[in-house]
Amino acid sequence: MATLLLKKSYQLSNLKEVTFKDLWGSRGVFTTMRMVGKPPKLILLKPHIENLIKSTKKYGIRKKNLKNTIKGLINKNTLYKGPDNLFRIALNKKLISISIRKRPKPKSNFNLLLFRYKRVEPNYKNLYYKKILAKLSKVDSTKFDIALVANEKILETGTSNLVFVKNGKIFSPKKDCYLGNTLKFISKKIKINFKDIFIKSIDDYDEIILIGSGKGVTSVSKINDLIWRRRNKNCYTKLNKIYNSLI
């Protein structure tokens, strides 16, 4: 895992600072935002906080004025640590943890590896990520991500949403995956058709693109497990331009 540039944990009840815990594997939720520029700017901050608050209700995390508490801790800890970082906030019933790490920049020869696994309660950005993190820890995150596969369908990656391009039309998995804030933003600017994406039909697609806070918009060069190769980058160029309007 990447070295953390900042790591802090606070008791949820009184916001007293305690020994840092990343909270992975506990019953709780998290969100990761891209942090760019000086002074630091958090990309899509408002929808990230709104989704996080919505998810806390599902997992029984309660505190009066929780949204303001989260905003206060973000403001307190949004320190300049470089031009391009990832800011993560995680909560369970006892703790709020905040960390900053350098954002790995994806390379042009990006590859997907298949992992037959579906996230627990995939509609939520929960902390049940240990199996995914174990897989991700074994690969170079600038060159690889893992594509989660269940019932012969590709769902999402360990870090991002996926879109698939066929004859200029854009498709994205419609269930058993989390609809991230970056994909939601892009879907308001360009039409995305949500449908099941089956492994058996993967060769129908000219482009496969990751979309998320960490990966931004990243074009997949190949999937060796499926002998799939990128045919062009036409849609990637369009989506990347939309995404860059946020930065």
Side-chain angles (χ1 to χ4, degrees), residues 21-246:
K21 294 184 183 299
D22 60 27
L23 302 184
W24 291 122
S26 67
R27 181 171 174 79
V29 294
F30 78 102
T31 195
T32 301
M33 295 169 275
R34 189 173 175 186
M35 188 169 80
V36 298
K38 186 178 182 179
K41 172 187 175 183
L42 290 170
I43 304 299
L44 295 171
L45 173 60
K46 184 178 178 180
H48 273 282
I49 291 180
E50 288 174 351
N51 270 15
L52 189 64
I53 294 296
K54 181 180 177 182
S55 296
T56 60
K57 295 173 183 176
K58 160 72 177 176
Y59 288 86
I61 301 167
R62 295 181 178 88
K63 180 179 173 60
K64 189 176 180 180
N65 297 322
L66 181 56
K67 182 183 285 190
N68 288 334
T69 296
I70 290 171
K71 285 181 178 179
L73 288 177
I74 288 173
N75 291 335
K76 182 178 178 180
N77 290 290
T78 308
L79 308 173
Y80 183 74
K81 295 287 184 180
D84 195 1
N85 293 309
L86 295 175
F87 185 103
R88 174 181 176 267
I89 182 164
L91 301 90
N92 62 17
K93 290 184 178 181
K94 294 183 177 180
L95 296 173
I96 301 179
S97 291
I98 285 173
S99 60
I100 299 174
R101 68 186 189 275
K102 185 177 179 182
R103 175 182 173 260
K105 185 177 180 181
K107 296 198 166 108
S108 60
N109 60 336
F110 202 84
N111 193 349
L112 282 182
L113 306 171
L114 300 189
F115 180 35
R116 294 189 177 273
Y117 179 74
K118 182 177 74 173
R119 286 196 306 108
V120 178
E121 298 177 334
N123 291 332
Y124 295 90
K125 202 76 170 175
N126 58 59
L127 289 161
Y128 301 132
Y129 254 74
K130 287 201 167 182
K131 286 188 177 181
I132 291 172
L133 292 173
K135 285 283 185 182
L136 289 174
S137 68
K138 297 175 184 177
V139 301
D140 180 345
S141 61
T142 67
K143 296 179 181 178
F144 297 93
D145 202 344
I146 54 173
L148 307 185
V149 176
N151 299 318
E152 299 308 311
K153 294 180 286 190
I154 299 181
L155 308 175
E156 57 189 335
T157 79
T159 68
S160 307
N161 287 118
L162 284 166
V163 299
F164 300 77
V165 184
K166 178 181 178 181
N167 299 326
K169 292 184 178 180
I170 306 171
F171 303 89
S172 190
K174 70 175 183 177
K175 58 185 178 182
D176 293 330
C177 55
Y178 178 74
L179 181 57
N181 293 299
T182 311
L183 183 62
K184 285 180 184 176
F185 171 79
I186 288 177
S187 70
K188 293 174 183 176
K189 309 291 183 179
I190 194 168
K191 183 174 175 58
I192 297 177
N193 304 280
F194 290 89
K195 60 173 280 188
D196 291 335
I197 306 294
F198 290 93
I199 283 181
K200 66 182 180 182
S201 61
I202 196 70
D203 204 46
D204 293 346
Y205 299 100
D206 306 310
E207 297 180 69
I208 300 174
I209 301 164
L210 282 75
I211 295 177
S213 297
K215 294 297 189 292
V217 174
T218 296
S219 176
V220 177
S221 171
K222 58 187 175 180
I223 307 177
N224 285 338
D225 296 337
L226 300 176
I227 321 178
W228 181 89
R229 295 292 182 274
R230 178 176 60 207
R231 296 184 191 121
N232 62 63
K233 295 174 73 173
N234 298 337
C235 191
Y236 161 77
T237 301
K238 294 177 186 176
L239 297 184
N240 199 40
K241 185 176 180 180
I242 294 170
Y243 175 72
N244 283 333
S245 70
L246 288 167

